[in-house]
Amino acid sequence: GNVYLNGATRFENESNPLDLAYNPEIIIEETEEGIFLSMNIDKKLIKMKNQMVTTELLGEALIPGQGYVNPDDSPITIDIDYLGKTRNRRNPTAGPFENPGRGKQTFKVWSTKN
């Protein structure tokens, strides 16, 4: 369920890629309130069919030959997005933000206030 934008080269053995030829016009801006990410999101990203990222889906890491697990050795399930929003269990959105909307979107990704 990876998305490749603006001509990015995808992994040749991937089974569910989405190639989008447009420029997402990504902007990272730092203000007094924090660091913000802005980008244009294509509706095809929202409609893409994906599955929940889990230890089982990820398999084993190439070099150590070990599975992806939490620090306590329990299985991983990526059911929360970067901003703390619950992911759709049947069809999570690709990328760090669950159901981010369409068109130009802005996300506060880091707070600079203590």
Side-chain angles (χ1 to χ4, degrees):
N2 289 316
V3 179
Y4 298 90
L5 301 171
N6 204 24
T9 303
R10 66 179 170 101
F11 175 57
E12 63 187 43
N13 295 329
E14 189 167 353
S15 61
N16 186 33
L18 176 61
D19 293 302
L20 297 173
Y22 79 102
N23 180 348
E25 301 176 26
I26 295 172
I27 297 171
I28 298 172
E29 181 179 22
E30 185 174 356
T31 70
E32 289 182 9
E33 292 184 27
I35 298 174
F36 294 83
L37 168 69
S38 297
M39 65 184 294
N40 283 316
I41 299 176
D42 189 282
K43 65 182 177 182
K44 291 178 185 174
L45 185 139
I46 307 301
K47 293 182 178 186
M48 183 180 185
K49 300 297 181 200
N50 296 301
Q51 55 184 314
M52 188 73 68
V53 176
T54 63
T55 294
E56 183 179 353
L57 176 68
L58 293 171
E60 292 184 349
L62 183 62
I63 301 300
Q66 299 293 312
Y68 294 88
V69 294
N70 288 305
D72 66 0
D73 209 32
S74 63
I76 290 174
T77 299
I78 309 297
D79 56 358
I80 303 292
D81 79 355
Y82 182 80
L83 300 174
K85 186 176 183 181
T86 301
R87 291 212 176 258
N88 179 325
R89 291 190 89 57
R90 285 194 243 160
N91 187 28
T93 306
F97 308 113
E98 181 62 29
N99 197 16
R102 297 176 184 159
K104 185 169 183 173
Q105 301 294 320
T106 300
F107 307 95
K108 184 177 183 179
V109 295
W110 196 265
S111 181
T112 54
K113 292 184 178 183
N114 292 331

